[in-house]
Amino acid sequence: MVTNAEIAGRFEEFADLLEADDIEYKPRAYRRAAENIQAHPVPIGDRVADGDEGVLEEIDGVGDAISSKIVEYVETGEIEELEELRAELPIDIADITRIEGVGPKTAGKLYRELGIETLDDLEAAAEANEIQKVKGFGPKTEQNIRENIEFAREVGQRYLLGEGRPLADDVLAFLEDLEAVQRCEVAGSIRRWRETIGDVDVLVGTEANEAVIDSFVNWDSVDDEIESGPEKASVRVGEIRVDLRVVVPEEFGAALQYFTGSKDHNVTLRNYAIDRGMKLNEYGAFDISELADAEEGQRVGDRVAGETEDGMYEALGLPWIPPELREDRGEIEAAETGELPDLLTRDDIRGDLHTHTEWSDGNTSIEAMVEAATERGYDYYGVADHAEGPGIVGNMGLTDTEILEQVEAIREVDAAYDIAVFAGIEANVDANGEIGLSADVIDALDIVVASPHSALDQDAEAATERLVHAIENPAVDVLGHPSGRMLNERSGLEFDATALGRSAAEHETALEINANPRRLDLWGSAVQAAVAEGAPIAVNTDAHQPSTLEFVRWGVHTARRGWAEPADVINTWELEELRAFLH
């Protein structure tokens, strides 16, 4: 199966290589197409393979030329023009551009000047002090490359949650239709909704191992069978590995708890069990209080739970702990004392406060975005296109004059729809924490989202001071994607999340969970630290087209990983309460 993520990845690579080759205009078109393909709600590859090329006409930014390339890729597994470009520029572009400050143009220059093709080449050149000799580079850039090589290697082995979870949903749908499958669920980091995953883990409860495994490895979507045996099998779907494990139904709950993890959660839980004369493993919960020390074995003792996951926790006198919390960050203690949070759900979200339109770098009109928000049943909706400033790609930011013009357009849309439409802007937090908006613009707006887009290599102390300064600005309502990271691409700012949370609580500024699956910024542990300080949180999609309003799914689960309750999240509040919060 050729996934949307895989097709989008080819056009991202296309754009990077074209940019590395100093080609203008085309890269932006390919990036826009890649974003829209990634976000498209139906599997494009399957539809094209079935002869339905009309599906491509539904995708904004995909014209005849790009459509023909998609069809070529689905049918042959290659795009001839991309292969030619790869031969011309044999650069591991995705790996190299994961280094903060090394974009496609830089990668192209380093290839032409030093012959750098891989991360190993880049590391060797940096260690030999060759990079600083290239015009436009210097010792600081070279040092930054040395410091970020390991990060680039590590993230290159993981996939975005937004790539892996849709595949996991497809796997579950396939397995649930098999007669021999009694129960099935995803496990591992994908069930804990971590922002990146190594593979997709799936668990099945069945009395017919052989039939389930045979059906799984012969699933139409499988591209390659890696291995299979009587209890487990591994395949590759597109670029992602999927691991299936089968267990007897009466041990399904124990196996689900065990294989969901995290390792740290399981270790702490097992020790908690031992202190109470119990033993936990993938086969069940066993009372071993009456056993002699010499008796060993996985199923030794009086089995008291294992069929359900709830039962595994109940056997220890604990309530079920949601998977998102299982990171050994105090969840077991909270369960013991009855203090687990009542976590945010998707139904709690009443609106989105950070989205984009064609006025800056979005793909459609204000009206189209508002209509999509209305269809989702939202009570309110915020347009926050980019203001001009450092870090905005392609000079797509709005001037003060253009912002005021857009405010008037938004007011007209607000009057025409039942949903409340807020006029906002995404301002740029510069290296000193300033946002660069005039007083007239601030007065005209309903929402100011302030986000860092440049100078993302500051040390943690400077970054914390910078972000706190922005939070303290009375014009700022939401601190957007605070680290500026792009998952698997750049690490972004490091900062003291507790300090940000404390300042946000004091100044009534919301900290954003940017739900774009390439960001998920803030992340779970940072949200938890901020919520503990009383900071308000905003779950926003940063949507650039109607379909990406669906990114809210990733934002909600990230909020849950941060122990956020509905009251912590400003876009769960009633309209009038939210209006009162906005400065």
Side-chain angles (χ1 to χ4, degrees), residues 175 202-204 212-213 216 231-233 242-246:
L175 292 171
V202 186
L203 186 70
V204 163
V212 171
I213 289 175
F216 173 66
E231 296 180 345
K232 56 185 178 181
V242 182
D243 293 330
L244 170 70
R245 183 178 295 267
V246 294

Side-chain angles (χ1 to χ4, degrees), residues 340-353:
L340 283 175
D342 181 13
L343 295 177
L344 177 75
T345 70
R346 193 166 167 177
D347 289 341
D348 294 319
I349 300 295
R350 294 175 178 269
D352 199 328
L353 305 177

Side-chain angles (χ1 to χ4, degrees), residues 425 427-429 433-437 442 446-451 467-480 504 507-511 581-583:
I425 201 70
N428 302 286
V429 178
E434 302 294 339
I435 62 169
L437 295 178
I442 291 169
D446 301 314
I447 301 175
V448 173
V449 179
S451 311
L467 296 176
V468 166
H469 186 65
I471 289 168
E472 292 172 345
N473 187 324
V476 174
D477 301 292
V478 179
L479 182 68
H507 295 279
E508 296 187 331
T509 301
L511 302 180
F581 173 84
L582 298 174
H583 302 123

Side-chain angles (χ1 to χ4, degrees), residues 390-440:
I392 301 304
V393 177
N395 297 316
M396 296 300 293
L398 304 181
T399 65
D400 281 5
T401 299
E402 290 169 332
I403 294 171
L404 294 174
E405 290 175 357
Q406 190 190 44
V407 170
E408 292 183 11
I410 292 171
R411 299 296 181 222
E412 292 177 4
V413 173
D414 179 42
Y417 289 84
D418 291 334
I419 187 174
V421 185
F422 295 124
I425 201 70
E426 184 178 10
N428 302 286
V429 178
D430 70 16
N432 298 314
E434 302 294 339
I435 62 169
L437 295 178
S438 71
D440 288 345

Side-chain angles (χ1 to χ4, degrees), residues 210-268:
E210 185 176 345
V212 171
I213 289 175
D214 183 62
S215 296
F216 173 66
V217 298
N218 287 292
W219 181 30
D220 289 344
S221 296
V222 169
D223 294 305
D224 181 39
E225 178 183 337
I226 299 171
E227 59 181 350
S228 63
E231 296 180 345
K232 56 185 178 181
S234 297
V235 300
R236 200 169 300 282
V237 179
E239 300 174 350
I240 302 178
R241 175 177 174 134
V242 182
D243 293 330
L244 170 70
R245 183 178 295 267
V246 294
V247 299
V248 293
E250 57 266 28
E251 294 177 349
F252 182 85
L256 182 59
Q257 192 285 319
Y258 180 85
F259 290 112
T260 293
S262 68
K263 180 181 177 181
D264 290 340
H265 173 84
N266 283 354
V267 168
T268 300

Side-chain angles (χ1 to χ4, degrees), residues 301-339:
D302 181 16
R303 187 174 185 271
V304 297
E307 185 172 354
T308 69
E309 190 179 54
D310 287 17
M312 295 292 288
Y313 289 96
E314 289 171 5
L316 302 178
L318 299 174
W320 178 78
I321 298 176
E324 295 97 328
L325 300 186
R326 300 181 200 174
E327 299 291 351
D328 197 29
R329 297 201 303 260
E331 67 276 9
I332 294 171
E333 294 87 344
E336 183 181 21
T337 57
E339 296 177 347

Side-chain angles (χ1 to χ4, degrees), residues 546-559:
S547 62
T548 49
L549 291 173
E550 180 59 23
F551 286 169
V552 68
R553 180 189 194 191
W554 317 120
V556 165
H557 283 285
T558 300

Side-chain angles (χ1 to χ4, degrees), residues 330-549:
E331 67 276 9
I332 294 171
E333 294 87 344
E336 183 181 21
T337 57
E339 296 177 347
L340 283 175
D342 181 13
L343 295 177
L344 177 75
T345 70
R346 193 166 167 177
D347 289 341
D348 294 319
I349 300 295
R350 294 175 178 269
D352 199 328
L353 305 177
H354 176 185
T355 66
H356 295 269
T357 75
E358 61 191 4
W359 279 70
S360 66
D361 61 339
N363 296 329
T364 191
S365 66
I366 299 170
E367 291 86 349
M369 295 298 287
V370 170
E371 286 171 6
T374 302
E375 289 172 3
R376 299 181 72 84
Y378 284 163
D379 296 332
Y380 42 81
Y381 180 79
V383 175
D385 275 314
H386 286 288
E388 62 182 355
I392 301 304
V393 177
N395 297 316
M396 296 300 293
L398 304 181
T399 65
D400 281 5
T401 299
E402 290 169 332
I403 294 171
L404 294 174
E405 290 175 357
Q406 190 190 44
V407 170
E408 292 183 11
I410 292 171
R411 299 296 181 222
E412 292 177 4
V413 173
D414 179 42
Y417 289 84
D418 291 334
I419 187 174
V421 185
F422 295 124
I425 201 70
E426 184 178 10
N428 302 286
V429 178
D430 70 16
N432 298 314
E434 302 294 339
I435 62 169
L437 295 178
S438 71
D440 288 345
V441 164
I442 291 169
D443 288 344
L445 293 167
D446 301 314
I447 301 175
V448 173
V449 179
S451 311
H453 294 98
S454 60
L456 301 179
D457 57 351
Q458 289 177 309
D459 62 42
E461 183 178 357
T464 302
E465 290 179 0
R466 167 191 186 177
L467 296 176
V468 166
H469 186 65
I471 289 168
E472 292 172 345
N473 187 324
V476 174
D477 301 292
V478 179
L479 182 68
H481 53 72
S483 81
R485 75 178 185 179
M486 297 293 284
L487 289 166
N488 285 3
E489 295 178 40
R490 67 184 185 218
S491 54
L493 296 169
E494 294 182 7
F495 51 77
D496 182 341
T498 297
L500 261 61
R502 188 180 305 121
S503 179
E506 179 182 352
H507 295 279
E508 296 187 331
T509 301
L511 302 180
E512 182 181 73
I513 297 173
N514 188 296
N516 185 316
R518 297 173 67 181
R519 289 190 183 274
L520 297 183
D521 175 14
L522 294 170
W523 50 93
S525 60
V527 175
Q528 186 178 2
V531 167
E533 295 297 321
I537 302 295
V539 176
N540 294 325
T541 63
D542 201 354
H544 284 60
Q545 62 185 40
S547 62
T548 49
L549 291 173

